[in-house]
Amino acid sequence: MNLAQYFPVLLFIIVATLIGAALLGAGRLLGRNVPDPEKLSPYECGFEAFGDSRMKFDVRYYLVAILFIMFDLEIAFLFPWAMANGVVGMVGFWTVAIFLGVLTVGFIYEWRRGALDWE
């Protein structure tokens, strides 16, 4: 393994870090710092925070998050499969069929728990 082949990657990481640090520093030096009570107030999901921070959340909050992740993963995995559908053959087809079956079971679970019902 020749480490010299990885020099462009190291150079890219160094330059990206320097540019990011320079932009953050410029924003801190040149930007105005005018805090007001509205800007510094706690904000949570579109309404004022209330109660203790250790209070229980409704289970639908987590179900909506799982639903988003489920569909996000589905798209992320189905797009490359669709592009290589002719190459993967029947093994790839049945693998994706099992994957979609697992996602369908998750979707049915979320549906029955009421994650898709909005009040």
Side-chain angles (χ1 to χ4, degrees):
M1 184 166 110
N2 188 2
L3 292 179
Q5 292 176 342
Y6 291 102
F7 180 72
V9 175
L10 178 65
L11 185 64
F12 176 77
I13 291 172
I14 291 172
V15 169
T17 303
L18 290 175
I19 289 174
L23 289 173
L24 286 172
R28 182 165 297 271
L29 289 174
L30 300 175
R32 292 186 322 151
N33 186 13
V34 185
D36 61 1
E38 187 68 28
K39 182 179 177 182
L40 297 177
S41 67
Y43 178 78
E44 179 180 331
C45 300
F47 53 85
E48 289 293 324
F50 59 89
D52 188 17
S53 64
R54 292 174 201 84
M55 68 181 198
K56 292 183 180 181
F57 280 99
D58 190 13
V59 71
R60 282 179 283 178
Y61 174 78
Y62 299 108
L63 291 177
V64 169
I66 291 171
L67 185 68
F68 172 76
I69 291 171
M70 186 173 73
F71 286 114
D72 190 40
L73 284 175
E74 181 180 4
I75 296 302
F77 287 128
L78 283 182
F79 185 73
W81 171 78
M83 299 307 287
N85 190 17
V87 179
V88 294
M90 289 306 289
V91 173
F93 172 78
W94 288 112
T95 303
V96 169
I98 292 169
F99 174 70
L100 289 176
V102 169
L103 285 177
T104 303
V105 168
F107 180 71
I108 291 170
Y109 170 76
E110 293 235 355
W111 194 341
R112 289 203 175 167
R113 292 297 299 226
L116 303 177
D117 297 333
W118 297 104
E119 295 176 2

PDB file of all heavy atoms in Angstrom, residues 48-66:
ATOM      1  N   GLU A  48     -43.826  27.074  22.662  1.00  0.00           N
ATOM      2  CA  GLU A  48     -42.990  27.366  23.827  1.00  0.00           C
ATOM      3  C   GLU A  48     -42.749  26.108  24.653  1.00  0.00           C
ATOM      4  O   GLU A  48     -43.641  25.264  24.807  1.00  0.00           O
ATOM      5  CB  GLU A  48     -43.671  28.406  24.708  1.00  0.00           C
ATOM      6  CG  GLU A  48     -43.696  29.786  24.100  1.00  0.00           C
ATOM      7  CD  GLU A  48     -42.315  30.393  23.982  1.00  0.00           C
ATOM      8  OE1 GLU A  48     -41.480  30.165  24.870  1.00  0.00           O
ATOM      9  OE2 GLU A  48     -42.075  31.086  22.991  1.00  0.00           O
ATOM     10  N   ALA A  49     -41.551  25.980  25.159  1.00  0.00           N
ATOM     11  CA  ALA A  49     -41.225  24.844  26.017  1.00  0.00           C
ATOM     12  C   ALA A  49     -41.987  24.964  27.329  1.00  0.00           C
ATOM     13  O   ALA A  49     -42.177  26.051  27.858  1.00  0.00           O
ATOM     14  CB  ALA A  49     -39.731  24.809  26.289  1.00  0.00           C
ATOM     15  N   PHE A  50     -42.447  23.842  27.820  1.00  0.00           N
ATOM     16  CA  PHE A  50     -43.177  23.844  29.086  1.00  0.00           C
ATOM     17  C   PHE A  50     -42.801  22.591  29.860  1.00  0.00           C
ATOM     18  O   PHE A  50     -42.379  21.603  29.284  1.00  0.00           O
ATOM     19  CB  PHE A  50     -44.692  23.887  28.853  1.00  0.00           C
ATOM     20  CG  PHE A  50     -45.210  22.731  28.054  1.00  0.00           C
ATOM     21  CD1 PHE A  50     -45.614  21.573  28.661  1.00  0.00           C
ATOM     22  CD2 PHE A  50     -45.276  22.821  26.680  1.00  0.00           C
ATOM     23  CE1 PHE A  50     -46.079  20.506  27.934  1.00  0.00           C
ATOM     24  CE2 PHE A  50     -45.740  21.750  25.932  1.00  0.00           C
ATOM     25  CZ  PHE A  50     -46.151  20.592  26.562  1.00  0.00           C
ATOM     26  N   GLY A  51     -42.965  22.664  31.152  1.00  0.00           N
ATOM     27  CA  GLY A  51     -42.722  21.500  31.991  1.00  0.00           C
ATOM     28  C   GLY A  51     -41.252  21.182  32.155  1.00  0.00           C
ATOM     29  O   GLY A  51     -40.358  21.938  31.758  1.00  0.00           O
ATOM     30  N   ASP A  52     -41.014  20.043  32.731  1.00  0.00           N
ATOM     31  CA  ASP A  52     -39.666  19.572  33.006  1.00  0.00           C
ATOM     32  C   ASP A  52     -39.067  18.970  31.741  1.00  0.00           C
ATOM     33  O   ASP A  52     -39.767  18.397  30.913  1.00  0.00           O
ATOM     34  CB  ASP A  52     -39.736  18.522  34.127  1.00  0.00           C
ATOM     35  CG  ASP A  52     -38.366  18.115  34.613  1.00  0.00           C
ATOM     36  OD1 ASP A  52     -37.401  18.848  34.339  1.00  0.00           O
ATOM     37  OD2 ASP A  52     -38.264  17.055  35.266  1.00  0.00           O
ATOM     38  N   SER A  53     -37.774  19.069  31.604  1.00  0.00           N
ATOM     39  CA  SER A  53     -37.121  18.508  30.422  1.00  0.00           C
ATOM     40  C   SER A  53     -37.125  16.986  30.439  1.00  0.00           C
ATOM     41  O   SER A  53     -36.849  16.361  29.430  1.00  0.00           O
ATOM     42  CB  SER A  53     -35.687  19.020  30.330  1.00  0.00           C
ATOM     43  OG  SER A  53     -34.947  18.560  31.447  1.00  0.00           O
ATOM     44  N   ARG A  54     -37.441  16.387  31.579  1.00  0.00           N
ATOM     45  CA  ARG A  54     -37.467  14.931  31.680  1.00  0.00           C
ATOM     46  C   ARG A  54     -38.874  14.360  31.504  1.00  0.00           C
ATOM     47  O   ARG A  54     -39.121  13.205  31.804  1.00  0.00           O
ATOM     48  CB  ARG A  54     -36.913  14.496  33.032  1.00  0.00           C
ATOM     49  CG  ARG A  54     -35.445  14.779  33.165  1.00  0.00           C
ATOM     50  CD  ARG A  54     -34.992  14.467  34.583  1.00  0.00           C
ATOM     51  NE  ARG A  54     -33.779  15.154  34.916  1.00  0.00           N
ATOM     52  CZ  ARG A  54     -33.703  16.391  35.353  1.00  0.00           C
ATOM     53  NH1 ARG A  54     -34.784  17.110  35.504  1.00  0.00           N
ATOM     54  NH2 ARG A  54     -32.549  16.937  35.632  1.00  0.00           N
ATOM     55  N   MET A  55     -39.809  15.183  31.029  1.00  0.00           N
ATOM     56  CA  MET A  55     -41.179  14.701  30.875  1.00  0.00           C
ATOM     57  C   MET A  55     -41.259  13.685  29.741  1.00  0.00           C
ATOM     58  O   MET A  55     -40.398  13.644  28.857  1.00  0.00           O
ATOM     59  CB  MET A  55     -42.131  15.856  30.605  1.00  0.00           C
ATOM     60  CG  MET A  55     -41.935  16.515  29.270  1.00  0.00           C
ATOM     61  SD  MET A  55     -43.092  17.843  29.109  1.00  0.00           S
ATOM     62  CE  MET A  55     -43.041  18.064  27.363  1.00  0.00           C
ATOM     63  N   LYS A  56     -42.279  12.873  29.758  1.00  0.00           N
ATOM     64  CA  LYS A  56     -42.442  11.838  28.740  1.00  0.00           C
ATOM     65  C   LYS A  56     -43.018  12.448  27.472  1.00  0.00           C
ATOM     66  O   LYS A  56     -43.884  13.304  27.517  1.00  0.00           O
ATOM     67  CB  LYS A  56     -43.370  10.748  29.260  1.00  0.00           C
ATOM     68  CG  LYS A  56     -42.777   9.957  30.390  1.00  0.00           C
ATOM     69  CD  LYS A  56     -43.709   8.842  30.802  1.00  0.00           C
ATOM     70  CE  LYS A  56     -43.091   8.047  31.940  1.00  0.00           C
ATOM     71  NZ  LYS A  56     -43.946   6.947  32.348  1.00  0.00           N
ATOM     72  N   PHE A  57     -42.514  11.967  26.347  1.00  0.00           N
ATOM     73  CA  PHE A  57     -43.037  12.369  25.053  1.00  0.00           C
ATOM     74  C   PHE A  57     -44.082  11.371  24.611  1.00  0.00           C
ATOM     75  O   PHE A  57     -44.044  10.196  24.977  1.00  0.00           O
ATOM     76  CB  PHE A  57     -41.922  12.404  23.999  1.00  0.00           C
ATOM     77  CG  PHE A  57     -41.082  13.638  24.062  1.00  0.00           C
ATOM     78  CD1 PHE A  57     -39.857  13.622  24.703  1.00  0.00           C
ATOM     79  CD2 PHE A  57     -41.513  14.799  23.477  1.00  0.00           C
ATOM     80  CE1 PHE A  57     -39.074  14.746  24.756  1.00  0.00           C
ATOM     81  CE2 PHE A  57     -40.743  15.942  23.524  1.00  0.00           C
ATOM     82  CZ  PHE A  57     -39.523  15.909  24.159  1.00  0.00           C
ATOM     83  N   ASP A  58     -44.997  11.831  23.802  1.00  0.00           N
ATOM     84  CA  ASP A  58     -45.970  10.943  23.204  1.00  0.00           C
ATOM     85  C   ASP A  58     -45.238   9.996  22.250  1.00  0.00           C
ATOM     86  O   ASP A  58     -44.304  10.386  21.560  1.00  0.00           O
ATOM     87  CB  ASP A  58     -47.021  11.762  22.457  1.00  0.00           C
ATOM     88  CG  ASP A  58     -48.192  10.927  22.013  1.00  0.00           C
ATOM     89  OD1 ASP A  58     -48.311   9.777  22.488  1.00  0.00           O
ATOM     90  OD2 ASP A  58     -48.995  11.422  21.203  1.00  0.00           O
ATOM     91  N   VAL A  59     -45.676   8.757  22.202  1.00  0.00           N
ATOM     92  CA  VAL A  59     -44.995   7.762  21.384  1.00  0.00           C
ATOM     93  C   VAL A  59     -45.068   8.118  19.901  1.00  0.00           C
ATOM     94  O   VAL A  59     -44.219   7.717  19.120  1.00  0.00           O
ATOM     95  CB  VAL A  59     -45.563   6.350  21.662  1.00  0.00           C
ATOM     96  CG1 VAL A  59     -46.958   6.205  21.098  1.00  0.00           C
ATOM     97  CG2 VAL A  59     -44.658   5.273  21.108  1.00  0.00           C
ATOM     98  N   ARG A  60     -46.049   8.910  19.498  1.00  0.00           N
ATOM     99  CA  ARG A  60     -46.164   9.271  18.082  1.00  0.00           C
ATOM    100  C   ARG A  60     -44.974  10.108  17.615  1.00  0.00           C
ATOM    101  O   ARG A  60     -44.628  10.077  16.438  1.00  0.00           O
ATOM    102  CB  ARG A  60     -47.470  10.016  17.837  1.00  0.00           C
ATOM    103  CG  ARG A  60     -48.638   9.045  17.782  1.00  0.00           C
ATOM    104  CD  ARG A  60     -49.896   9.784  17.572  1.00  0.00           C
ATOM    105  NE  ARG A  60     -50.251  10.374  18.863  1.00  0.00           N
ATOM    106  CZ  ARG A  60     -51.280  11.129  19.061  1.00  0.00           C
ATOM    107  NH1 ARG A  60     -52.076  11.430  18.081  1.00  0.00           N
ATOM    108  NH2 ARG A  60     -51.547  11.608  20.253  1.00  0.00           N
ATOM    109  N   TYR A  61     -44.348  10.850  18.518  1.00  0.00           N
ATOM    110  CA  TYR A  61     -43.157  11.616  18.142  1.00  0.00           C
ATOM    111  C   TYR A  61     -42.069  10.666  17.618  1.00  0.00           C
ATOM    112  O   TYR A  61     -41.464  10.908  16.575  1.00  0.00           O
ATOM    113  CB  TYR A  61     -42.658  12.397  19.351  1.00  0.00           C
ATOM    114  CG  TYR A  61     -41.362  13.113  19.118  1.00  0.00           C
ATOM    115  CD1 TYR A  61     -41.318  14.303  18.423  1.00  0.00           C
ATOM    116  CD2 TYR A  61     -40.162  12.585  19.600  1.00  0.00           C
ATOM    117  CE1 TYR A  61     -40.139  14.970  18.211  1.00  0.00           C
ATOM    118  CE2 TYR A  61     -38.965  13.240  19.389  1.00  0.00           C
ATOM    119  CZ  TYR A  61     -38.962  14.421  18.697  1.00  0.00           C
ATOM    120  OH  TYR A  61     -37.783  15.075  18.484  1.00  0.00           O
ATOM    121  N   TYR A  62     -41.846   9.583  18.319  1.00  0.00           N
ATOM    122  CA  TYR A  62     -40.835   8.620  17.909  1.00  0.00           C
ATOM    123  C   TYR A  62     -41.281   7.839  16.681  1.00  0.00           C
ATOM    124  O   TYR A  62     -40.473   7.490  15.818  1.00  0.00           O
ATOM    125  CB  TYR A  62     -40.527   7.665  19.063  1.00  0.00           C
ATOM    126  CG  TYR A  62     -39.991   8.371  20.268  1.00  0.00           C
ATOM    127  CD1 TYR A  62     -40.756   8.527  21.407  1.00  0.00           C
ATOM    128  CD2 TYR A  62     -38.718   8.924  20.260  1.00  0.00           C
ATOM    129  CE1 TYR A  62     -40.272   9.196  22.514  1.00  0.00           C
ATOM    130  CE2 TYR A  62     -38.225   9.601  21.356  1.00  0.00           C
ATOM    131  CZ  TYR A  62     -39.003   9.730  22.482  1.00  0.00           C
ATOM    132  OH  TYR A  62     -38.528  10.399  23.559  1.00  0.00           O
ATOM    133  N   LEU A  63     -42.557   7.562  16.574  1.00  0.00           N
ATOM    134  CA  LEU A  63     -43.057   6.815  15.422  1.00  0.00           C
ATOM    135  C   LEU A  63     -42.923   7.617  14.133  1.00  0.00           C
ATOM    136  O   LEU A  63     -42.612   7.057  13.080  1.00  0.00           O
ATOM    137  CB  LEU A  63     -44.506   6.399  15.654  1.00  0.00           C
ATOM    138  CG  LEU A  63     -44.699   5.340  16.733  1.00  0.00           C
ATOM    139  CD1 LEU A  63     -46.184   5.055  16.933  1.00  0.00           C
ATOM    140  CD2 LEU A  63     -43.973   4.065  16.382  1.00  0.00           C
ATOM    141  N   VAL A  64     -43.136   8.910  14.217  1.00  0.00           N
ATOM    142  CA  VAL A  64     -42.959   9.744  13.034  1.00  0.00           C
ATOM    143  C   VAL A  64     -41.481   9.770  12.633  1.00  0.00           C
ATOM    144  O   VAL A  64     -41.146   9.720  11.454  1.00  0.00           O
ATOM    145  CB  VAL A  64     -43.505  11.167  13.277  1.00  0.00           C
ATOM    146  CG1 VAL A  64     -43.100  12.113  12.171  1.00  0.00           C
ATOM    147  CG2 VAL A  64     -45.014  11.116  13.402  1.00  0.00           C
ATOM    148  N   ALA A  65     -40.598   9.813  13.608  1.00  0.00           N
ATOM    149  CA  ALA A  65     -39.162   9.780  13.311  1.00  0.00           C
ATOM    150  C   ALA A  65     -38.783   8.456  12.662  1.00  0.00           C
ATOM    151  O   ALA A  65     -38.028   8.425  11.688  1.00  0.00           O
ATOM    152  CB  ALA A  65     -38.362  10.001  14.585  1.00  0.00           C
ATOM    153  N   ILE A  66     -39.310   7.356  13.171  1.00  0.00           N
ATOM    154  CA  ILE A  66     -39.030   6.044  12.581  1.00  0.00           C
ATOM    155  C   ILE A  66     -39.599   5.968  11.174  1.00  0.00           C
ATOM    156  O   ILE A  66     -38.980   5.410  10.263  1.00  0.00           O
ATOM    157  CB  ILE A  66     -39.592   4.928  13.482  1.00  0.00           C
ATOM    158  CG1 ILE A  66     -38.792   4.856  14.781  1.00  0.00           C
ATOM    159  CG2 ILE A  66     -39.557   3.583  12.771  1.00  0.00           C
ATOM    160  CD1 ILE A  66     -39.419   3.946  15.811  1.00  0.00           C
TER     161      ILE A  66
END
